[in-house]
Amino acid sequence: MSQLNSRQQEALKYVLGPLLVLAGAGSGKTSVITQKIAHLITNCNIPADRITAMTFTNKAAREMKARVQKLLPAERSRGLTVSTFHQFGLQFLRFELVHTPLKSNFSIMDGEDSKRLLMDLMQRDNLSGADSRELVGKAIKMISDWKNDLIPPEKAADTLSDPEDMMFAHLYGLYERNLRAYNAVDFDDLIVLPVKILKQNEQVRDKWQTRIRYLLVDEYQDTNTAQYELIKLLVGTQSRFTVVGDDDQSIYAWRGAKPENMALLKQDFPTLQVVKLEQNYRSTGKILTAANSVIANNEHLFDKVLWSDKGEGKHIRVLTCLNEIDEAERVAKEIVAHRVTHDGKWEQYAVLYRSNFQARLLEAELRQLGVPYKLSGGTSFFARSEIKDVMSYLRIILNPDDDAAFLRIINTPKRGMGSVTLEKLGLLAQEYEISLLSACQHAGLKAAVGNKASHTLLDFAKFIERYTKELYDNSDPMGLVRQMIEETGYIDYIKDDSKTPQQEKVRLENIELLYASMSSLIDRAEDDDEKTIESVIRKMMLLDMLEQQQEEENINKVNLMTLHAAKGLEFDYVYIMGVEEEILPHRNSILSDTVEEERRLMYVGITRAKLELTLLLAKQRRVGRDMRHTTPSRFLDELPLEHIDYPAKKGASKLTKEQAADHYLANIKAMLAKKK
């Protein structure tokens, strides 16, 4: 505790009622949460199994739990719950299954499953646009928003003003009925269903409020309506909780996050105490002054001003480039030259941008200069076809009613099942209101699909049935999982299907990594119920949605990422590209008058920098085939002039092309001389 500053200690010690810790960027909030958990167990005599902490990512939850375990003996931290909101919701549904319409082997549908189901429903109802990715995407977004706002299907239409959108309300009702028929939930249901149960069932509500004697929530500014309701229902009238957040870093409105939940806290919990963490341990004074200056233009319920004892630091540079090609060249060459003169490592540098398309030219420049880089936002590990295939075999083991999983694997590897056969099988399943897998063993199968196809489908159903029984009966299921996948012929299929030996190697390694992850979940499980194949498959399905990007080792590479992806990270030297109107702030935000969130995004970008910050903009930018003149971002006008180096604004002359070339050549010579 002695390592905490006075405000952090105040936040740690207050345990009598509701507490909001307003934690500015880089203010050491994780230390406060982890030390507070240790304080609750050690000094307040609250058993670890009566404390629950929630956050938004698996990585954050793992790190938080690991830090608590370092502070306490193993026996004192045993039973502590540190999880994501959705993991908590999944555990809740397992405990309270009797109060849900679900059977114990329910599936969790991912985004691709939901999309496929909606397209199928649109086709079945002869709704126009079933083949339009844009329309299906809009349907998924609207249904997700309704769920997160706790609006049931029967009330969805009341929220609409455009008659053309009524189709989506109709789809919402169909979608919900089909989810239940499939014995499935989607990602949003993992919060919505627990909230519904806690609201409607006083006995369950009392049980959970008694079980959780203290609740802690990280990144509170990112909560949506359903998550806020969950918090309220879990803490009850005793209101013993700490939420930690920063309204200035609320940048996920498009995902349903509501910074106004800060105001609701004050309204719903009149005795709320507020502690502000304003000392920043990351950035220099000029960077923080710039961040404070920009964010001051937003309205605030709680004011705070970040400060640092790390000295004033260097001016923030603003570079005006001729066009987007010049901008990409400038960033790449600046990083090369800066690294040489500062004897730095590539991993100390980050280039941030508003949208992914801005990285394309920069990637080409970095490759040309031989600069290693890591592009965040690549293909998710769980989105790879071989992982989705293997997971679909496991999903149907968990839930035989999972038609989405069935359709993915019935012809992977090839079993000669054409679309006509599968359509006939689907009609049989619809007629008798059974799953596709059950239809494979129905008495009417042969008449429906023909002799040859019926034998293949029946053999497949028996294969799944056999392995389901064996996997559930086996206390060490991983050997059987491997055996099952090999028996399907899938490994041979990968070898035949891969276009190059390298592709084959990568795909097989990915499958081995999946097996290793499952084994690790079994090994780390704290009780026998968590070691079952059912528990492991469900956890892997949840990881599929929570960890949308495979964690890579950062082996000394320049970091390229969107401003959204950069939240929570820090780098010595930061470059922000495209600081122009219609890029940052984004055109859509200007049109919809939501520029405040874009300003928070700018604030997040500025506060990622520890030592130096460079902002870039182009005079012209290509849009389609046209080259258009740009306007500098309004956020540049909000920066403190005394702390920025902005030659274009101060009327300074720009380097000629020849001078810039000489400058770059001198830097390259210096780099080569250093290597010698």
Side-chain angles (χ1 to χ4, degrees), residues 526-538:
E526 292 183 355
D527 56 61
D528 290 341
D529 288 345
E530 299 294 302
K531 293 179 184 289
T532 64
I533 190 66
E534 178 185 2
S535 174
V536 171
I537 294 170
R538 192 170 279 127

Side-chain angles (χ1 to χ4, degrees), residues 289-327:
T289 302
N292 290 330
S293 180
V294 169
I295 205 65
N297 292 276
N298 275 4
E299 288 187 17
H300 286 85
L301 179 67
F302 306 102
D303 290 318
K304 67 177 185 307
V305 178
L306 294 180
W307 62 275
S308 167
D309 60 5
K310 292 187 174 295
E312 284 295 288
K314 293 190 175 181
H315 273 43
I316 292 159
R317 293 189 308 151
V318 181
L319 305 179
T320 304
C321 308
L322 295 174
N323 51 43
E324 70 269 31
I325 297 172
D326 185 33
E327 179 187 48

Side-chain angles (χ1 to χ4, degrees), residues 118-140 142-143 146 153 156-177:
L118 280 171
M119 290 172 74
D120 183 40
L121 292 173
M122 290 169 81
Q123 286 166 350
R124 248 192 263 170
D125 259 34
N126 294 316
L127 299 173
S128 60
D131 296 326
S132 164
R133 290 177 63 184
E134 187 179 343
L135 200 66
V136 174
K138 185 178 180 183
I140 288 172
M142 288 188 77
I143 289 171
W146 276 319
D158 299 342
T159 68
L160 298 171
S161 53
D162 188 342
E164 288 186 12
D165 287 344
M166 290 300 173
M167 175 184 79
F168 297 116
H170 170 66
L171 262 179
Y172 181 19
L174 289 177
Y175 174 76
E176 284 294 276
R177 287 199 295 276

Side-chain angles (χ1 to χ4, degrees), residues 29-55:
K29 68 181 177 66
T30 308
S31 292
V32 171
I33 296 174
T34 53
Q35 296 244 28
K36 184 155 193 172
I37 292 171
H39 174 67
L40 290 166
I41 295 169
T42 305
N43 302 322
C44 303
N45 297 316
I46 300 178
D49 61 0
R50 309 296 286 277
I51 298 170
T52 294
M54 293 190 211
T55 186

Side-chain angles (χ1 to χ4, degrees), residues 326-423:
D326 185 33
E327 179 187 48
E329 284 181 4
R330 189 76 180 267
V331 173
K333 290 172 180 176
E334 283 259 346
I335 289 173
V336 170
H338 190 281
R339 177 174 171 268
V340 172
T341 55
H342 289 73
D343 195 22
K345 295 181 178 179
W346 295 121
E347 65 195 28
Q348 292 174 276
Y349 298 85
V351 185
L352 312 181
Y353 35 82
R354 178 62 178 80
S355 303
N356 278 308
F357 77 87
Q358 292 172 258
R360 291 172 195 159
L361 286 169
L362 178 59
E363 281 192 82
E365 289 297 326
L366 292 173
R367 280 199 299 267
Q368 193 172 328
L369 293 173
V371 175
Y373 64 87
K374 174 187 170 186
L375 182 70
S376 295
T379 305
S380 158
F381 176 70
F382 287 100
R384 298 171 196 272
S385 61
E386 61 273 12
I387 301 304
K388 291 193 81 69
D389 291 340
V390 174
M391 284 302 300
S392 293
Y393 275 101
L394 297 175
R395 280 170 49 185
I396 209 160
I397 291 286
L398 177 68
N399 178 9
D401 296 336
D402 193 333
D403 284 356
F406 177 91
L407 288 170
R408 184 170 187 98
I409 60 177
I410 189 58
N411 250 347
T412 311
K414 300 289 183 194
R415 293 185 178 88
M417 296 292 105
S419 57
V420 174
T421 300
L422 291 175
E423 191 175 335

Side-chain angles (χ1 to χ4, degrees), residues 413-647:
K414 300 289 183 194
R415 293 185 178 88
M417 296 292 105
S419 57
V420 174
T421 300
L422 291 175
E423 191 175 335
K424 289 175 180 176
L425 182 69
L427 290 171
L428 177 68
Q430 278 181 32
E431 183 183 348
Y432 291 97
E433 296 185 342
I434 55 177
S435 70
L436 292 172
L437 187 64
S438 297
C440 292
Q441 293 182 296
H442 193 273
L445 178 68
K446 188 174 178 180
V449 302
N451 189 42
K452 186 180 177 184
S454 67
H455 280 301
T456 304
L457 291 168
L458 183 59
D459 286 345
F460 178 78
K462 286 180 176 176
F463 169 81
I464 295 296
E465 187 177 46
R466 171 164 60 90
Y467 270 103
T468 300
K469 185 176 186 307
E470 290 184 18
L471 282 165
Y472 273 90
D473 289 345
N474 198 304
S475 59
D476 184 17
M478 283 315 302
L480 274 173
V481 169
R482 185 185 293 273
Q483 180 182 308
M484 179 184 76
I485 299 302
E486 287 176 358
E487 195 175 324
T488 64
Y490 187 74
I491 302 302
D492 291 332
Y493 161 77
I494 288 285
K495 292 174 181 176
D496 294 338
D497 185 62
S498 298
K499 294 179 175 62
T500 65
Q502 180 59 25
Q503 187 187 46
E504 176 191 322
K505 181 174 180 286
V506 169
R507 293 171 77 181
L508 292 176
E509 283 175 353
N510 285 338
I511 293 171
E512 288 299 326
L513 184 57
L514 180 67
Y515 292 155
S517 298
M518 293 177 71
S519 295
S520 177
L521 281 176
I522 292 172
D523 293 341
R524 294 202 312 264
E526 292 183 355
D527 56 61
D528 290 341
D529 288 345
E530 299 294 302
K531 293 179 184 289
T532 64
I533 190 66
E534 178 185 2
S535 174
V536 171
I537 294 170
R538 192 170 279 127
K539 280 183 179 175
M540 294 303 292
M541 288 161 64
L542 192 56
L543 285 177
D544 185 345
M545 286 163 278
L546 287 172
E547 295 187 351
Q548 288 302 307
Q549 184 179 335
Q550 182 186 10
E551 289 178 25
E552 293 179 37
E553 232 182 302
N554 188 358
I555 314 169
N556 199 20
K557 297 176 181 178
V558 173
N559 298 275
L560 313 185
M561 63 185 71
T562 63
L563 287 157
H564 283 99
K567 185 171 171 287
L569 303 176
E570 58 182 46
F571 307 95
D572 290 333
Y573 312 109
V574 170
Y575 297 78
I576 302 179
M577 297 170 64
V579 190
E580 303 152 24
E581 290 291 296
E582 302 199 357
I583 292 183
L584 183 64
H586 195 277
R587 182 171 185 269
N588 293 345
S589 296
I590 296 171
L591 293 174
S592 60
D593 196 24
T594 54
V595 171
E596 283 210 345
E597 173 136 343
E598 294 290 297
R599 187 174 282 110
R600 292 195 289 269
L601 201 54
M602 180 72 174
Y603 172 84
V604 165
I606 292 171
T607 54
R608 296 314 92 196
K610 294 166 74 174
L611 301 176
E612 294 181 26
L613 174 65
T614 303
L615 310 176
L616 298 103
L617 64 153
K619 289 181 177 178
Q620 297 180 87
R621 197 172 286 275
R622 189 171 293 281
V623 180
R625 294 183 177 181
D626 302 326
M627 187 65 83
R628 297 183 188 173
H629 290 282
T630 67
T631 303
S633 170
R634 68 191 71 187
F635 302 147
L636 292 174
D637 293 329
E638 296 170 2
L639 293 168
L641 263 177
E642 67 275 16
H643 288 334
I644 64 171
D645 180 7
Y646 192 174

Side-chain angles (χ1 to χ4, degrees), residues 244-262:
V244 183
D246 181 5
D247 50 346
D248 290 334
Q249 294 188 75
S250 182
I251 56 173
Y252 296 119
W254 50 277
R255 232 161 51 180
K258 298 198 169 175
E260 56 266 35
N261 284 351
M262 292 275 190

